[in-house]
């Protein structure tokens, strides 16, 4: 930074741009960084930007950055307003048992606030010296100006502890020697170069949004649990039914008479006693779930076992007896030409059901 032209100088304690002072050493200005004399450079060409440079070259490293900090302060004192960034909070919550997700969000848009006061002399706030301290709506706000030095972790920790709203503005000047008007635009009005470093309102918003999301999740989870409980109670009631009543239940679901389904029941099937119900009941349950009005569907043995496991209390009567019973029943339906074995999938396609409707292609 030592070789950069100095965009602004100090005339007494006032920050000035080169066009506000006499050309040359007569400007009477000093460098905002090293406080050594500056000369104002007014190039002959109107198109070239005016700037300051050290009268005697030295290894001043912070003249440029200090000049921008003071220029930012000057324009805020003059303008008495600043654009503050938007804040937004999004919270996702999840329930492990029901796998339900809920999201809630809240935001405040960016807006221009009025600054009632911008402090000329910034004091030490518990070990941290902000670049600019202003008051808006009788509340203190810190404004940090970052040119090459961003807020470091130590300063950030101190700022967070203070809980005073803090904005950081990144000043990447539009030209090597920015004019005061450019600084004015960049500091006061530009939306994309600033962010909240500390914002107690955002913390509160996050808390509020979290509560909202958790409330929504609670309602969804309760609803799901009530649904599951109702389902479970209905299922327990079903399990307590006699075998005859279970058969009536299946027939009612199918809207069929007993005589209409006898042809699809296979008695004396190996492993058939594994499901705690009669052959009529478990076989009709398979038929209703996988075949009836499901022409074209693929029926796979594992899916059938999973279904029966949900419906009944399976107790194998020998090793793999439920799987064997399912295998023989599907083979039986295959022989009836209701199913057709598919060697590529290892499953069966539904060809027709007891309604006589064939698979349409
Ligand atoms: Zn200097």
């Amino acid at each position: 930074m030592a070789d950069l032209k100095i965009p602004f100088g100090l005339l007494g304690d006032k920050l000035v741009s080169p066009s506000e002072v006499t050309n040359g050493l007569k400007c009477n200005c000093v460098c905002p960084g090293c406080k050594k004399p500056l000369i104002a450079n007014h190039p002959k060409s109107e198109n070239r930007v005016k700037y300051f440079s050290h009268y005697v070259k030295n290894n001043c490293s912070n003249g440029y950055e200090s000049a921008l900090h003071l220029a930012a302060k000057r324009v805020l004192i003059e303008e008495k307003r600043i654009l503050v960034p938007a804040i937004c909070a999004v919270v996702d919550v999840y329930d492990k048992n029901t796998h339900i997700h809920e999201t809630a969000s809240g935001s405040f848009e960016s807006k221009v606030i009025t600054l009632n006061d911008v402090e000329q002399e910034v004091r030490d706030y518990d070990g941290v010296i902000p670049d600019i301290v202003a008051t808006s709506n009788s509340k203190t706000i810190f404004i940090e100006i970052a040119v090459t030095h961003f807020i470091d972790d130590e300063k950030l920790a101190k700022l967070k502890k203070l809980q005073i709203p803090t904005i950081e503005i990144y000043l990447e000047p539009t030209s090597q020697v920015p004019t005061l008007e450019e600084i004015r635009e960049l500091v006061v009005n530009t939306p994309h170069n600033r962010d909240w470093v500390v914002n107690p309102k955002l913390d509160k918003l996050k808390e509020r949004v979290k509560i909202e999301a958790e409330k929504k999740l609670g309602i969804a989870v309760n609803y799901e649990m009530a649904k599951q409980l109702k389902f479970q109670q209905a299922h327990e009631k079903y399990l307590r039914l006699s075998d005859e009543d279970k058969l009536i239940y299946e027939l009612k679901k199918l809207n069929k008479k007993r005589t209409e389904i006898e042809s699809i029941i296979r008695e004396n099937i190996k492993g058939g006693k594994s499901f705690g119900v009669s052959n009529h009941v478990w076989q009709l349950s398979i038929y209703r779930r996988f075949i009836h009005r499901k022409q074209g569907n693929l029926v796979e043995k594992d899916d059938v076992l999973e279904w029966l496991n949900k419906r009944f209390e399976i107790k194998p009567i020998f090793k793999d007896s439920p799987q064997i019973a399912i295998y023989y029943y599907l083979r039986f339906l295959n022989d009836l030409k209701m199913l057709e074995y598919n060697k590529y999938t290892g499953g069966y396609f539904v060809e027709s059901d007891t309604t006589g409707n064939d698979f349409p292609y």
Side-chain angles (χ1 to χ4, degrees), residues 10 132 258 315 349:
L10 275 174
I132 298 166
R258 194 173 302 225
K315 286 193 188 90
F349 280 109

Side-chain angles (χ1 to χ4, degrees), residues 13 17 34 51 58 88 106 113 116 119 155 158 174-175 203 226 239 246 256 284 286 320 324 330 333:
D13 56 5
S17 59
C34 63
Y51 63 94
N58 65 6
C88 177
I113 60 166
N116 313 106
E119 282 180 24
K155 190 171 187 179
K158 284 176 182 167
T174 49
S175 58
D203 297 340
L239 286 177
K246 285 192 182 96
K256 291 210 173 274
L284 266 193
I286 293 175
D320 294 334
I324 288 165
L330 297 180
L333 295 175

Side-chain angles (χ1 to χ4, degrees), residues 62-108:
N62 60 344
Y64 185 87
E65 183 142 3
S66 300
L68 288 197
H69 280 205
L70 291 174
K73 185 186 268 187
R74 176 177 159 178
V75 297
L76 287 175
I77 289 168
E78 287 171 1
E79 294 290 324
K80 295 198 184 315
R81 65 196 172 89
I82 190 169
L83 179 80
V84 294
I87 57 172
C88 177
V90 180
V91 174
D92 271 306
V93 284
Y94 176 67
D95 182 75
K96 267 189 273 177
N97 296 323
T98 55
H99 302 288
I100 294 173
H101 276 280
E102 282 293 344
T103 304
S105 64
S107 61
F108 291 98

